[in-house]
Amino acid sequence: MSGGDFSNYDVRRVMAVLPHRYPMLLVDRVEELVVDERICAVKAVTMNEGFFQGHFPGRPIMPGVMIVEALAQAAGVLAMESLGLIGSGKLVYFMSIDNAKFRAPVEPGCLLHLHVEFVQKRARVCKFAGRAMVGDQVAAEAEFMAMIAEPPA
């Protein structure tokens, strides 16, 4: 990891950067963060996730939209760290999702590795490319944009 000390980026540090909380916090740990470039984060997928009750009974599969949300949250950490916005109160808001593809099911017990890189970075709008991996297999991939803004009043 470069651009700062990211050696102990556990869930408490993630929660200091992102406003998300249970049940919507989908990043458990950051394994690698290169400021202005990329992040690799991890989501430990457990049977305790609320969406598994109905998606699907007898064959629990993580919904694709939740996988994309996990990628977006990892991108949020990358953006906040890269733009020096930790503690500013600013939020990272989804703007668009493009070219989303779902390649393999994500089941309880998986470690979902979230690889996200900047495609374009500006002060208020960033574009990212992300891949969610289970082992060596791509589970999902997407391109997405987010804007940096003040929280709602």
Short mmCIF file of all heavy atoms in Angstrom, two decimals, residues 83-112:
data_model
loop_
_atom_site.label_atom_id
_atom_site.label_comp_id
_atom_site.label_asym_id
_atom_site.label_seq_id
_atom_site.Cartn_x
_atom_site.Cartn_y
_atom_site.Cartn_z
N LEU A 83 -8.73 11.76 -2.45
CA LEU A 83 -9.06 13.18 -2.52
C LEU A 83 -8.86 13.89 -1.18
O LEU A 83 -9.16 15.08 -1.07
CB LEU A 83 -10.49 13.36 -3.02
CG LEU A 83 -10.75 12.85 -4.45
CD1 LEU A 83 -12.24 12.86 -4.77
CD2 LEU A 83 -9.97 13.66 -5.47
N GLY A 84 -8.38 13.16 -0.18
CA GLY A 84 -8.12 13.78 1.13
C GLY A 84 -9.37 14.28 1.82
O GLY A 84 -9.35 15.32 2.46
N LEU A 85 -10.46 13.52 1.73
CA LEU A 85 -11.75 13.98 2.24
C LEU A 85 -12.18 13.32 3.55
O LEU A 85 -13.29 13.56 4.02
CB LEU A 85 -12.84 13.75 1.18
CG LEU A 85 -12.65 14.54 -0.11
CD1 LEU A 85 -13.69 14.13 -1.14
CD2 LEU A 85 -12.70 16.03 0.16
N ILE A 86 -11.30 12.52 4.16
CA ILE A 86 -11.66 11.86 5.42
C ILE A 86 -11.95 12.94 6.47
O ILE A 86 -11.16 13.85 6.66
CB ILE A 86 -10.52 10.94 5.91
CG1 ILE A 86 -10.07 9.98 4.82
CG2 ILE A 86 -10.93 10.21 7.18
CD1 ILE A 86 -11.02 8.92 4.44
N GLY A 87 -13.08 12.81 7.13
CA GLY A 87 -13.45 13.77 8.17
C GLY A 87 -14.08 15.05 7.66
O GLY A 87 -14.44 15.93 8.43
N SER A 88 -14.25 15.17 6.34
CA SER A 88 -14.82 16.39 5.74
C SER A 88 -16.34 16.43 5.81
O SER A 88 -16.94 17.48 5.60
CB SER A 88 -14.38 16.51 4.28
OG SER A 88 -15.02 15.51 3.50
N GLY A 89 -16.95 15.28 6.07
CA GLY A 89 -18.41 15.19 6.05
C GLY A 89 -18.98 14.97 4.66
O GLY A 89 -20.17 14.74 4.50
N LYS A 90 -18.14 15.03 3.64
CA LYS A 90 -18.61 14.82 2.26
C LYS A 90 -18.94 13.34 2.05
O LYS A 90 -18.40 12.47 2.72
CB LYS A 90 -17.58 15.29 1.27
CG LYS A 90 -17.35 16.79 1.36
CD LYS A 90 -16.64 17.31 0.14
CE LYS A 90 -16.31 18.77 0.29
NZ LYS A 90 -17.37 19.64 -0.11
N LEU A 91 -19.84 13.10 1.11
CA LEU A 91 -20.27 11.74 0.78
C LEU A 91 -20.00 11.44 -0.68
O LEU A 91 -19.91 12.35 -1.51
CB LEU A 91 -21.76 11.57 1.06
CG LEU A 91 -22.21 11.76 2.51
CD1 LEU A 91 -23.72 11.68 2.60
CD2 LEU A 91 -21.55 10.74 3.42
N VAL A 92 -19.88 10.15 -0.99
CA VAL A 92 -19.70 9.70 -2.36
C VAL A 92 -21.04 9.10 -2.81
O VAL A 92 -21.51 8.13 -2.22
CB VAL A 92 -18.57 8.65 -2.46
CG1 VAL A 92 -18.40 8.19 -3.90
CG2 VAL A 92 -17.26 9.22 -1.91
N TYR A 93 -21.66 9.70 -3.83
CA TYR A 93 -22.96 9.27 -4.32
C TYR A 93 -22.82 8.60 -5.68
O TYR A 93 -22.18 9.14 -6.57
CB TYR A 93 -23.91 10.46 -4.50
CG TYR A 93 -24.36 11.11 -3.23
CD1 TYR A 93 -23.83 12.33 -2.82
CD2 TYR A 93 -25.35 10.52 -2.45
CE1 TYR A 93 -24.27 12.94 -1.66
CE2 TYR A 93 -25.79 11.12 -1.29
CZ TYR A 93 -25.25 12.34 -0.90
OH TYR A 93 -25.68 12.94 0.25
N PHE A 94 -23.46 7.43 -5.84
CA PHE A 94 -23.57 6.76 -7.12
C PHE A 94 -24.22 7.68 -8.15
O PHE A 94 -25.22 8.32 -7.85
CB PHE A 94 -24.51 5.56 -6.97
CG PHE A 94 -23.90 4.22 -7.18
CD1 PHE A 94 -24.40 3.15 -6.47
CD2 PHE A 94 -22.88 4.00 -8.09
CE1 PHE A 94 -23.90 1.89 -6.66
CE2 PHE A 94 -22.37 2.74 -8.29
CZ PHE A 94 -22.88 1.69 -7.57
N MET A 95 -23.70 7.74 -9.35
CA MET A 95 -24.33 8.50 -10.44
C MET A 95 -24.80 7.59 -11.57
O MET A 95 -25.85 7.81 -12.15
CB MET A 95 -23.36 9.53 -11.01
CG MET A 95 -23.05 10.68 -10.10
SD MET A 95 -21.83 11.79 -10.82
CE MET A 95 -22.68 12.41 -12.24
N SER A 96 -23.96 6.59 -11.91
CA SER A 96 -24.33 5.71 -13.01
C SER A 96 -23.60 4.38 -12.88
O SER A 96 -22.56 4.29 -12.23
CB SER A 96 -24.00 6.35 -14.36
OG SER A 96 -22.60 6.44 -14.53
N ILE A 97 -24.19 3.38 -13.49
CA ILE A 97 -23.59 2.05 -13.59
C ILE A 97 -23.67 1.65 -15.05
O ILE A 97 -24.74 1.72 -15.66
CB ILE A 97 -24.35 1.01 -12.74
CG1 ILE A 97 -24.44 1.45 -11.27
CG2 ILE A 97 -23.69 -0.36 -12.84
CD1 ILE A 97 -25.46 0.67 -10.48
N ASP A 98 -22.54 1.23 -15.62
CA ASP A 98 -22.50 0.82 -17.02
C ASP A 98 -21.82 -0.54 -17.15
O ASP A 98 -20.95 -0.89 -16.36
CB ASP A 98 -21.71 1.83 -17.86
CG ASP A 98 -22.39 3.18 -17.92
OD1 ASP A 98 -23.59 3.21 -18.25
OD2 ASP A 98 -21.72 4.19 -17.63
N ASN A 99 -22.22 -1.26 -18.16
CA ASN A 99 -21.58 -2.53 -18.54
C ASN A 99 -21.47 -3.52 -17.38
O ASN A 99 -20.47 -4.24 -17.28
CB ASN A 99 -20.18 -2.25 -19.13
CG ASN A 99 -20.26 -1.35 -20.34
OD1 ASN A 99 -21.12 -1.54 -21.20
ND2 ASN A 99 -19.39 -0.37 -20.40
N ALA A 100 -22.48 -3.58 -16.55
CA ALA A 100 -22.48 -4.56 -15.45
C ALA A 100 -22.69 -5.96 -16.02
O ALA A 100 -23.58 -6.17 -16.85
CB ALA A 100 -23.56 -4.22 -14.43
N LYS A 101 -21.86 -6.86 -15.57
CA LYS A 101 -21.96 -8.26 -15.99
C LYS A 101 -21.81 -9.14 -14.77
O LYS A 101 -20.95 -8.90 -13.93
CB LYS A 101 -20.88 -8.59 -17.02
CG LYS A 101 -21.05 -7.81 -18.31
CD LYS A 101 -19.98 -8.20 -19.32
CE LYS A 101 -20.17 -7.47 -20.62
NZ LYS A 101 -19.78 -6.09 -20.60
N PHE A 102 -22.64 -10.16 -14.68
CA PHE A 102 -22.61 -11.08 -13.56
C PHE A 102 -22.22 -12.44 -14.10
O PHE A 102 -22.92 -13.01 -14.93
CB PHE A 102 -23.98 -11.07 -12.86
CG PHE A 102 -24.34 -9.68 -12.42
CD1 PHE A 102 -25.17 -8.89 -13.20
CD2 PHE A 102 -23.80 -9.14 -11.27
CE1 PHE A 102 -25.48 -7.59 -12.83
CE2 PHE A 102 -24.10 -7.84 -10.89
CZ PHE A 102 -24.93 -7.06 -11.67
N ARG A 103 -21.10 -12.95 -13.65
CA ARG A 103 -20.47 -14.12 -14.26
C ARG A 103 -20.59 -15.40 -13.44
O ARG A 103 -20.55 -16.48 -13.99
CB ARG A 103 -19.00 -13.82 -14.51
CG ARG A 103 -18.79 -12.51 -15.25
CD ARG A 103 -18.16 -12.78 -16.57
NE ARG A 103 -17.89 -11.57 -17.29
CZ ARG A 103 -18.34 -11.33 -18.50
NH1 ARG A 103 -19.10 -12.20 -19.11
NH2 ARG A 103 -18.03 -10.21 -19.12
N ALA A 104 -20.68 -15.27 -12.11
CA ALA A 104 -20.72 -16.46 -11.26
C ALA A 104 -21.47 -16.12 -9.97
O ALA A 104 -21.40 -14.99 -9.49
CB ALA A 104 -19.30 -16.92 -10.93
N PRO A 105 -22.20 -17.09 -9.41
CA PRO A 105 -22.92 -16.82 -8.17
C PRO A 105 -21.97 -16.63 -6.99
O PRO A 105 -20.89 -17.22 -6.95
CB PRO A 105 -23.79 -18.08 -7.98
CG PRO A 105 -23.12 -19.14 -8.78
CD PRO A 105 -22.39 -18.45 -9.90
N VAL A 106 -22.39 -15.78 -6.07
CA VAL A 106 -21.65 -15.55 -4.83
C VAL A 106 -22.51 -16.11 -3.71
O VAL A 106 -23.65 -15.69 -3.52
CB VAL A 106 -21.37 -14.05 -4.62
CG1 VAL A 106 -20.69 -13.81 -3.27
CG2 VAL A 106 -20.51 -13.50 -5.76
N GLU A 107 -21.97 -17.09 -2.99
CA GLU A 107 -22.72 -17.83 -1.99
C GLU A 107 -22.14 -17.58 -0.60
O GLU A 107 -21.01 -17.12 -0.47
CB GLU A 107 -22.67 -19.32 -2.31
CG GLU A 107 -23.25 -19.63 -3.68
CD GLU A 107 -23.01 -21.07 -4.11
OE1 GLU A 107 -21.92 -21.60 -3.89
OE2 GLU A 107 -23.96 -21.64 -4.68
N PRO A 108 -22.93 -17.88 0.44
CA PRO A 108 -22.40 -17.74 1.80
C PRO A 108 -21.11 -18.55 1.96
O PRO A 108 -20.97 -19.64 1.40
CB PRO A 108 -23.51 -18.33 2.68
CG PRO A 108 -24.75 -18.21 1.86
CD PRO A 108 -24.30 -18.37 0.42
N GLY A 109 -20.19 -17.98 2.71
CA GLY A 109 -18.90 -18.63 2.93
C GLY A 109 -17.80 -18.11 2.03
O GLY A 109 -16.63 -18.41 2.24
N CYS A 110 -18.17 -17.33 1.02
CA CYS A 110 -17.19 -16.77 0.08
C CYS A 110 -16.50 -15.55 0.67
O CYS A 110 -17.10 -14.80 1.44
CB CYS A 110 -17.87 -16.34 -1.22
SG CYS A 110 -18.49 -17.68 -2.23
N LEU A 111 -15.26 -15.36 0.28
CA LEU A 111 -14.59 -14.07 0.46
C LEU A 111 -14.68 -13.38 -0.88
O LEU A 111 -14.14 -13.85 -1.87
CB LEU A 111 -13.13 -14.26 0.87
CG LEU A 111 -12.86 -14.57 2.33
CD1 LEU A 111 -11.36 -14.71 2.57
CD2 LEU A 111 -13.44 -13.52 3.24
N LEU A 112 -15.37 -12.27 -0.92
CA LEU A 112 -15.56 -11.51 -2.14
C LEU A 112 -14.49 -10.42 -2.19
O LEU A 112 -14.47 -9.53 -1.34
CB LEU A 112 -16.96 -10.90 -2.15
CG LEU A 112 -17.44 -10.24 -3.43
CD1 LEU A 112 -17.50 -11.26 -4.59
CD2 LEU A 112 -18.81 -9.62 -3.21
#
